[in-house]
């Protein structure tokens, strides 16, 4: 199932917030093989999602929409994987983690650091072109990193709470 560009947002948001939503939607629409995308803050809270209506997870007794079930699941996984790899990098004196990729039989998971400590996570199909996804993620990070101020993160968190 192809991820949906975020459409539940936009009303009452700042220009920077709308631009980030547009960048996320563009990533989803332009790159083949993406199931879902999320941006989480350094403290693990979801800031952006490719499927905001799924942000609180599937309803009780409902089937899941894809292998992860919801964008909240992806955000949790991305946050946990980011924490785990950062801990490993510290133990190994490896410096900052820039990117993590997990290849599975039925898909791939990419996590890329954004300059403010936030993380961009992508769940993709098993036959995706990993280099294309990584390239487009790097473009997103380059464009989003300098605008993710504390004020904008607060605005994005509040917009996610309103969708839920």
């Amino acid at each position: 199932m192809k991820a949906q560009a975020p459409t539940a947002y936009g009303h009452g948001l700042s220009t920077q917030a709308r631009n980030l939503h547009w960048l996320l939607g563009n990533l989803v629409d332009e790159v083949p093989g993406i199931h879902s995308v999320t941006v989480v803050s350094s403290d693990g809270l979801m800031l952006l999602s490719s499927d905001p209506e799924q942000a609180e997870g599937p309803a009780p007794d409902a089937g899941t929409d894809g292998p992860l079930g919801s964008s909240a699941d992806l955000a949790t996984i991305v946050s946990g994987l980011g924490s785990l790899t950062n801990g490993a990098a510290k133990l190994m004196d490896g410096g900052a983690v820039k990117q993590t990729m997990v290849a599975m039989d039925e898909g791939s998971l990419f996590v890329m650091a954004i300059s403010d400590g936030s993380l961009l996570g992508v769940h993709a199909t098993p036959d995706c072109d990993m280099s294309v996804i990584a390239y487009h993620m790097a473009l997103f990070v380059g464009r989003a990193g300098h605008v993710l101020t504390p004020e904008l993160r607060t605005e994005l968190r509040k917009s996610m709470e309103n969708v839920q």
Side-chain angles (χ1 to χ4, degrees):
M1 177 184 148
K2 181 71 172 162
Q4 297 291 317
T7 57
Y9 303 112
H11 303 295
L13 293 179
S14 68
T15 300
Q16 288 179 328
R18 287 192 313 272
N19 286 343
L20 283 178
H21 285 288
W22 180 85
L23 282 172
L24 186 80
N26 198 37
L27 176 65
V28 169
D29 290 341
E30 298 294 320
V31 183
I34 290 180
H35 281 304
S36 57
V37 180
T38 191
V39 174
V40 296
S41 64
S42 58
D43 56 359
L45 297 174
M46 185 169 31
L47 300 177
L48 294 169
S49 170
S50 61
D51 49 331
E53 67 280 354
Q54 295 275 331
E56 58 187 69
D61 301 324
T64 60
D65 184 25
L68 293 177
S70 73
S71 57
D73 291 339
L74 180 59
T76 301
I77 291 166
V78 167
S79 180
L81 187 58
S83 180
L84 180 65
T85 55
N86 283 329
K90 285 180 186 175
L91 286 173
M92 297 176 187
D93 293 326
V97 176
K98 297 177 183 179
Q99 180 178 336
T100 304
M101 200 277 292
V102 179
M104 302 168 280
D105 287 341
E106 300 300 323
S108 297
L109 175 64
F110 302 84
V111 178
M112 193 171 285
I114 300 176
S115 63
D116 71 331
S118 298
L119 300 169
L120 171 64
V122 172
H123 174 225
T125 61
D127 60 345
C128 70
D129 187 331
M130 293 179 190
S131 62
V132 169
I133 290 180
Y135 172 76
H136 284 278
M137 287 177 71
L139 288 177
F140 180 94
V141 166
R143 293 173 181 154
H146 68 282
V147 298
L148 269 173
T149 62
E151 297 79 18
L152 185 56
R153 287 192 302 271
T154 299
E155 179 182 358
L156 292 169
R157 281 187 198 132
K158 287 180 181 176
S159 74
M160 288 302 295
E161 290 170 3
N162 292 338
V163 171
Q164 294 177 8

